[in-house]
Amino acid sequence: MALTTEPATRTLPIADMASVRRHARGLLHEHRRTMTTVIGLHALAALASLVAPRLVGELVDGVTHGTTRAHIDTLVIWLAASVVLQTVLVWAARRASFIMGETVFAQLREQFISRVTALPLSTVERAGTGDLVSRTTNDVEALSYVVRFGIPSLFVAVVTTTLTVVAAVLTGPLVAVPIVIGVPIMWFSTRWYLRLAPAGYLRERATYAVANGVISETVDGARTVDALGLRTRRRQRIDDAVGSCFDAEAYTLRLRMIWFPQIEFAYLLPVAATLLWGGYLVAGGHTTIGTVTAVVLYVQQMAGPLDELLSWLDEIQVGATSLARVIGIADVPPDRSSTGESPSGRDIGVADVRYSYRAGRDVLKGVSLELLPGERLTIVG
C-alpha cells in the first residue's frame, strides 16, 4: 500500500483503549441519575411492547378453542391500549435519551476545546494542520453522532432484547428453547470482528489526518507550489493520501461484509427454528397454538433490537476510535517549564537563536535580538 505520511514525531498522541474505557465509565458515573431515568423509561416501553404478542396468542387460543365475542373485544381493546402506551413511553424514553446524549456531547466538546487551546504552540506546529483538523472535524463529528444517537439506540436495544427473552421464556419455556440457537454464531463472529476492527478504524482515522494535512497545506501554499514548480509532486502526494484512505476504508468494509451476513443469519435462524419446534410440540400435544404464536412473535420481535444493537456496535468502534484521538490530546506534555528565575534588569537580548520543526533542519538560525530601553529595535541574523 502506498502511503505518504508525516513522521511519527509529528503525530499527536492517541489514548489507549483502557483510557477510553475509564473516560467512558467516568462520564456514565457522572450522569448516572439521568441514565437511570433513561433505562427505566426504556424498560417500561419494552414491557409495554411485550403485551401485544401475549394478547395475540390468547386471541389465537380463544378462536381455536372457542370463546365469546365480549372476550375478543376485551382483548382487542387491551391490545390497542398497549400500543398507545408503548408509543407514549417510547417517545418519552427517546426524548430523555437524546437529552442525555446532547448533554454528554456538550461536555466532551467543551473538554476538547479547552484541551486544544491549551496545547503547546510548538506541538501544534510540529503536528501540522492535518492531524489537528482531522480531530476537530472528522473525529468530533463521528463522536457527536455516536453520543447523540448511538447511546440512546443501545439502551433501547439492550433493554428490549433482555425483556423480550424473559417474556418468551415465561410464556413457553419449552417452546423458547431454540431462541439460543443463534448465540454461538453471534458470539464468535462478533469476537472476531472486535479483534480486528479497532486497529482498522485507527488506521482509517490516521489516513484522514494525512489527507487533510496534505490538501490543506497544498491549498494554503498554492502560490509557493506554482512558484517552485511543485504541482506534480503535490498532486502525487494528494493521490497517495486519497489512495491510503480508500485502502483503509476498503479494509473495514471487508470486515463488515463478512460480519454482517453472519449476524443477520444468527438472529433470523431462531425464528424459523422456533416455528418448526413449536409445530412439533403442538403436534405432540405438549403446548398450544397460541403459546407457539406468542413465542414466535417474541423471537421475531427480537430481530429488530438485535439488528440495531449489532449495527450500532460497528458505529461504536468508530466512536471509540474518535474518542481515543480526542482525549489523547490531553497526553501532550508541556513544551517548557518555569525556571523560577527573575530578570536582573530591563534589557532583553538573545544571541544566535535557532529553531527547527524537525531535528537537524533549522528553519531559523543565527538570529540575534537586543532590546535596549529608549533605543531603536535591532535584529541581527
Side-chain angles (χ1 to χ4, degrees), residues 3 24 64 74 78 82 101 193 196 227 319 335 351 375:
L3 177 62
T64 302
T74 302
W78 278 109
S82 68
Y193 173 77
L196 300 176
D335 62 343
E375 294 190 9

Side-chain angles (χ1 to χ4, degrees), residues 27-28 31 34-35 38 93-109 143-153 155:
L27 285 173
L28 293 177
H31 299 276
T34 306
M35 187 175 65
V38 169
R94 288 190 176 273
R95 180 178 182 276
S97 298
F98 291 144
I99 292 175
M100 187 189 73
E102 292 288 346
T103 303
V104 172
F105 175 68
Q107 182 178 347
L108 287 172
R109 181 176 53 197
L143 190 58
S144 167
Y145 181 66
V146 171
V147 171
R148 288 172 170 171
F149 303 104
I151 292 178
S153 298
F155 282 141

Side-chain angles (χ1 to χ4, degrees), residues 130-169:
D131 198 7
L132 190 57
V133 168
S134 177
R135 297 189 191 216
T136 56
T137 54
N138 299 99
D139 292 324
V140 171
E141 182 180 354
L143 190 58
S144 167
Y145 181 66
V146 171
V147 171
R148 288 172 170 171
F149 303 104
I151 292 178
S153 298
L154 284 176
F155 282 141
V156 174
V158 171
V159 173
T160 304
T161 301
T162 302
L163 292 179
T164 304
V165 171
V166 173
V169 173

Side-chain angles (χ1 to χ4, degrees), residues 8-23:
T9 55
R10 299 188 63 192
T11 303
L12 292 171
I14 299 175
D16 55 24
M17 286 299 112
S19 299
V20 171
R21 286 191 291 269
R22 285 195 300 270
H23 194 83

Side-chain angles (χ1 to χ4, degrees), residues 37-311:
T37 302
V38 169
I39 293 176
L41 287 172
H42 281 305
L44 292 175
L47 287 173
S49 69
L50 301 177
V51 175
R54 187 63 178 267
L55 292 175
V56 171
E58 291 188 13
L59 276 172
V60 171
D61 278 342
V63 172
T64 302
H65 302 292
T67 185
T68 63
R69 180 177 178 180
H71 180 64
I72 296 296
D73 292 342
T74 302
L75 291 177
V76 171
I77 291 173
W78 278 109
L79 182 61
S82 68
V83 172
V84 173
L85 179 61
Q86 179 189 358
T87 303
V88 174
L89 289 173
V90 167
W91 174 83
R94 288 190 176 273
R95 180 178 182 276
S97 298
F98 291 144
I99 292 175
M100 187 189 73
E102 292 288 346
T103 303
V104 172
F105 175 68
Q107 182 178 347
L108 287 172
R109 181 176 53 197
E110 292 173 359
Q111 291 177 354
F112 176 71
I113 294 299
S114 64
R115 289 169 178 170
V116 168
T117 54
L119 282 174
L121 183 58
S122 61
T123 302
V124 175
E125 290 177 340
R126 286 189 176 92
T129 57
D131 198 7
L132 190 57
V133 168
S134 177
R135 297 189 191 216
T136 56
T137 54
N138 299 99
D139 292 324
V140 171
E141 182 180 354
L143 190 58
S144 167
Y145 181 66
V146 171
V147 171
R148 288 172 170 171
F149 303 104
I151 292 178
S153 298
L154 284 176
F155 282 141
V156 174
V158 171
V159 173
T160 304
T161 301
T162 302
L163 292 179
T164 304
V165 171
V166 173
V169 173
L170 292 178
T171 301
L174 189 59
V175 182
V177 169
I179 203 172
V180 298
I181 196 172
V183 172
I185 302 175
M186 291 184 189
W187 174 260
F188 290 108
S189 63
T190 303
R191 285 195 62 183
W192 170 84
Y193 173 77
L194 293 180
R195 187 176 67 253
L196 300 176
Y201 284 117
L202 278 174
R203 174 189 168 198
E204 191 176 282
R205 295 287 153 177
T207 60
Y208 291 164
V210 173
N212 283 336
V214 171
I215 294 172
S216 62
E217 290 167 4
T218 302
V219 172
D220 292 339
R223 291 184 178 180
T224 303
V225 171
D226 286 338
L228 300 180
L230 300 175
R231 294 183 179 180
T232 303
R233 183 181 300 179
R234 298 307 299 181
R235 179 175 296 176
Q236 183 62 45
R237 291 203 62 186
I238 291 175
D239 290 342
D240 291 342
V242 172
S244 298
C245 291
F246 178 83
D247 291 340
E249 291 201 11
Y251 173 76
T252 56
L253 177 61
R254 284 195 296 270
L255 293 181
R256 293 191 297 271
M257 289 179 66
I258 296 173
W259 181 51
F260 277 142
Q262 295 183 56
I263 61 173
E264 289 276 347
F265 180 75
Y267 63 69
L268 292 177
L269 178 62
V271 178
T274 303
L275 186 60
L276 292 174
W277 175 244
Y280 171 78
L281 293 177
V282 170
H286 301 291
T287 188
T288 63
I289 297 178
T291 301
V292 173
T293 301
V295 174
V296 170
L297 288 176
Y298 281 134
V299 176
Q300 185 180 17
Q301 189 171 296
M302 286 173 51
L306 275 176
D307 183 48
E308 190 169 17
L309 175 63
L310 295 173
S311 297

Side-chain angles (χ1 to χ4, degrees), residues 295-361:
V295 174
V296 170
L297 288 176
Y298 281 134
V299 176
Q300 185 180 17
Q301 189 171 296
M302 286 173 51
L306 275 176
D307 183 48
E308 190 169 17
L309 175 63
L310 295 173
S311 297
W312 273 107
L313 191 60
D314 179 62
E315 295 291 339
I316 291 296
Q317 300 303 307
V318 180
T321 302
S322 298
L323 182 59
R325 291 169 56 82
V326 167
I327 67 177
I329 294 178
D331 297 332
V332 176
D335 62 343
R336 68 199 68 188
S337 59
S338 176
T339 61
E341 297 182 2
S342 300
S344 58
R346 299 177 61 189
D347 297 339
I348 298 176
V350 295
D352 195 24
V353 174
R354 296 173 179 270
Y355 184 80
S356 64
Y357 293 105
R358 305 180 188 177
R361 299 182 63 178

